[in-house]
């Protein structure tokens, strides 16, 4: 077997992968905020603004309110999952910065 140089065994870090991680991070924060607001205010605003989409029972917590709450919860949890997957994107260790500088990927 051939010996693989130590530097090739390290994870390759490029500007593209950092950009992808940062985009995923900020997208996850956006989804968390929007999902939380939709979860908290979606069903309430439906009743407050009296939007007659499927009925006019604005004084009870009905199926439309549940639908708005569930959609908001799904968006919120997708945001949390994406956040957990991309949390590493904004930070670099000293070795990673050294590797990027050696490869000429940073300016």
């Amino acid at each position: 077997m051939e010996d693989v140089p130590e530097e090739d065994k390290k994870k390759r870090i490029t500007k593209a992968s950092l950009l992808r991680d940062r985009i995923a991070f900020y997208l996850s924060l956006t989804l968390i905020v929007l999902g939380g607001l939709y979860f908290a205010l979606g069903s309430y605003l439906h009743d407050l603004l009296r939007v007659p989409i499927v009925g006019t029972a604005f004084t009870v917590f009905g199926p439309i309110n549940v639908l708005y709450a569930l959609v908001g919860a799904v968006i919120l949890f997708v945001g949390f999952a994406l956040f957990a997957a991309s949390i590493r994107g904004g930070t670099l260790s000293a070795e990673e910065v050294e590797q990027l500088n050696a490869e000429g990927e940073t300016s």
Side-chain angles (χ1 to χ4, degrees):
M1 280 193 211
E2 288 184 27
D3 287 332
V4 178
E6 185 66 31
E7 61 192 38
D8 288 342
K9 290 181 183 177
K10 289 184 179 180
K11 183 180 175 187
R12 304 294 277 173
I13 300 168
T14 62
K15 278 186 172 182
S17 66
L18 288 175
L19 180 63
R20 183 190 61 232
D21 286 345
R22 289 183 180 155
I23 288 173
F25 177 75
Y26 288 116
L27 179 64
S28 70
L29 290 180
T30 303
L31 287 176
I32 289 170
V33 169
L34 293 177
L37 287 173
Y38 198 82
F39 180 66
L41 297 176
S43 63
Y44 176 72
L45 290 177
H46 171 267
D47 292 337
L48 181 69
L49 299 175
R50 299 195 179 275
V51 179
I53 293 176
V54 182
T56 57
F58 300 116
T59 58
V60 297
F61 193 82
I64 297 298
N65 301 88
V66 172
L67 176 67
Y68 282 124
L70 287 176
V71 168
V74 167
I75 293 171
L76 183 65
F77 289 123
V78 167
F80 281 138
L82 188 59
F83 181 77
S86 67
I87 191 69
R88 188 183 164 283
T91 60
L92 294 175
S93 67
E95 294 92 18
E96 292 169 333
V97 170
E98 184 179 315
Q99 181 182 356
L100 280 174
N101 288 333
E103 292 175 355
E105 290 287 332
T106 60
S107 51

